[in-house]
């Protein structure tokens, strides 16, 4: 049976079609041995292997064998049952990961935007519970600065001077600060700061427009606005709070065979460490 390229399994009445090589990812597992050995739990009926186990949970078993990754839905909760299924099939590296369900559970992510208007300038401060998200957002946001004279500023055809990108202020890994608008400097010069937020290519100088684009960007990225409040009425500081359920990075099992291991599968788990 091991030379058979296509294998059909009926697990709890749910039919699965896969390659023999997929079932042999972990040679010591019962699914791999099933192709050669007689196992009372796996009955061959009309060319199909039948096993009286949970067919729905076996979907995740097959996904693991095909990708060597553990990636579960955000609403998944049957960690103990899936762990038992993994142990039944002899997939102990998977069972080991499932026993550490804190690595696999989705995490609630909080992000806060503070916005204030002061005359011709707008100030922004973004704080996020996940440093990876803040870092990604800082790569999307660019502030450009340029100087113009008062006369050219009021002209309907202001002189086109090159804008210089400015680095964002990063007080910590979890927050960033930037501003836009115009500020009077020495003489009759004005410093103008524009903000661009990818993938939008516009350079916006009006703080209200920048705020609208920022909020729209966060909503498109899966965040949900949960509250809006005024932090300081005197300083006109508004706070927008967002949250989203973030799926953890996929945990990958790497399989290798070593001499003298009789085809034993060795597993090593890896997890992205960003955002901690």
């Amino acid at each position: 049976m091991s030379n058979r390229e296509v294998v059909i399994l009926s697990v709890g009445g749910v039919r699965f079609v896969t390659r023999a090589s997929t079932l042999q990812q972990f040679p010591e597992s019962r699914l791999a041995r099933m192709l050669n050995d007689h196992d009372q739990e796996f009955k061959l009926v009309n060319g199909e292997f039948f096993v009286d186990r949970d067919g729905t949970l076996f979907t995740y078993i097959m996904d693991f064998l095909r990708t060597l990754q553990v990636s579960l839905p955000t609403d998944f909760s049957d960690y103990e049952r899936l762990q038992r299924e993994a142990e039944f099939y002899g997939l102990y590296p998977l069972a080991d990961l499932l026993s550490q369900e804190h690595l696999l559970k989705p995490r609630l992510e909080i992000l806060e935007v503070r916005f204030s208007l002061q005359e011709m300038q707008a100030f922004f401060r973004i704080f996020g519970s996940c440093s990876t998200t803040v870092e990604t957002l800082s790569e999307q946001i660019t502030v450009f600065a340029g100087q113009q004279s008062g006369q050219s500023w009021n002209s309907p055809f202001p002189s086109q001077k090159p804008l210089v990108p400015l680095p964002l202020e990063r007080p910590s890994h979890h927050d960033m600060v930037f501003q836009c608008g115009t500020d009077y400097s020495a003489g009759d010069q004005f410093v103008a700061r524009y903000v661009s937020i990818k993938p939008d290519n516009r350079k916006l100088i009006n703080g209200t427009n920048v705020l609208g684009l920022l909020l729209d960007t966060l909503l498109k990225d899966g965040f949900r606005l949960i509250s809006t409040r005024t932090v300081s009425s005197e300083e006109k500081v508004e706070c927008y709070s967002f949250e989203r359920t973030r799926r953890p990075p996929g945990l990958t099992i790497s399989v290798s065979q070593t001499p003298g291991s009789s085809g034993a599968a060795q597993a090593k788990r890896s997890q992205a460490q960003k955002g901690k």
Side-chain angles (χ1 to χ4, degrees):
M1 292 298 297
S2 60
N3 295 324
R4 184 174 177 173
E5 183 178 359
V6 177
V7 180
I8 302 175
L9 301 95
S10 177
V11 183
V14 182
R15 196 166 181 263
F16 296 87
V17 181
T18 187
R19 293 178 178 271
S21 58
T22 301
L23 299 176
Q24 293 169 331
Q25 287 280 16
F26 295 85
E28 295 278 329
S29 71
R30 293 181 74 176
L31 289 170
R33 299 199 310 268
M34 171 190 74
L35 301 178
N36 293 315
D37 301 337
H38 177 71
D39 191 321
Q40 292 185 352
E41 294 287 351
F42 300 89
K43 298 184 181 298
L44 189 60
V45 181
N46 296 327
E48 299 183 12
F49 287 99
F50 173 79
V51 57
D52 189 18
R53 303 293 294 190
D54 191 307
T56 300
L57 293 179
F58 192 73
T59 300
Y60 303 115
I61 299 288
M62 285 303 307
D63 181 65
F64 168 72
L65 290 173
R66 288 166 175 153
T67 66
L68 296 183
Q69 286 191 340
V70 184
S71 182
L72 301 172
T74 55
D75 59 349
F76 186 82
S77 59
D78 290 337
Y79 293 94
E80 291 185 5
R81 291 182 60 213
L82 185 54
Q83 180 185 350
R84 288 198 300 269
E85 294 301 295
E87 292 173 348
F88 170 81
Y89 293 110
L91 296 170
Y92 297 108
L94 174 58
D96 177 56
L97 282 181
L98 291 168
S99 68
Q100 305 176 67
E101 60 183 74
H102 65 280
L103 297 176
L104 302 170
K105 284 186 175 180
R107 296 172 182 148
L108 184 64
E109 184 178 349
I110 304 296
L111 189 138
E112 183 180 274
V113 176
R114 293 200 173 197
F115 168 73
S116 65
L117 277 174
Q118 297 179 16
E119 297 181 352
M120 299 296 291
Q121 297 184 83
F123 298 86
F124 295 83
R125 182 160 194 158
I126 301 175
F127 174 84
S129 60
C130 176
S131 62
T132 304
T133 297
V134 177
E135 180 66 30
T136 301
L137 195 57
S138 70
E139 294 173 357
Q140 292 179 258
I141 299 175
T142 306
V143 177
F144 297 90
Q147 277 194 339
Q148 292 182 338
S149 66
Q151 291 180 348
S152 64
W153 181 256
N154 295 322
S155 169
F157 304 102
S159 59
Q160 297 295 324
K161 294 184 179 181
L163 297 176
V164 179
L166 300 176
L168 296 179
E169 294 183 45
R170 297 292 306 276
S172 74
H173 292 297
H174 289 272
D175 60 346
M176 71 177 79
V177 178
F178 61 93
Q179 67 186 84
C180 66
T182 59
D183 184 25
Y184 181 76
S185 63
D188 62 347
Q189 296 291 315
F190 282 89
V191 176
R193 290 184 177 85
Y194 301 80
V195 173
S196 175
I197 305 177
K198 296 178 182 178
D200 195 294
N201 293 320
R202 293 173 296 170
K203 295 180 177 65
L204 303 176
I205 194 171
N206 181 279
T208 303
N209 293 340
V210 173
L211 176 64
L213 178 58
L214 176 59
L215 300 186
D216 185 60
T217 300
L218 294 174
L219 293 173
K220 289 181 179 178
D221 201 29
F223 280 98
R224 182 173 66 92
L225 181 63
I226 57 175
S227 69
T228 302
R229 69 184 190 277
T230 300
V231 179
S232 172
S233 57
E234 294 181 358
E235 299 180 2
K236 298 181 180 179
V237 179
E238 299 176 354
C239 180
Y240 300 82
S241 298
F242 295 82
E243 70 175 18
R244 73 174 174 183
T245 301
R246 185 179 180 89
R247 180 178 296 181
L251 299 184
T252 302
I253 299 290
S254 61
V255 182
S256 62
Q257 287 181 285
T258 57
S261 64
S262 303
Q266 296 183 343
K268 178 178 65 177
R269 62 177 176 269
S270 63
Q271 182 186 28
Q273 296 299 318
K274 292 183 178 182
K276 290 191 172 182

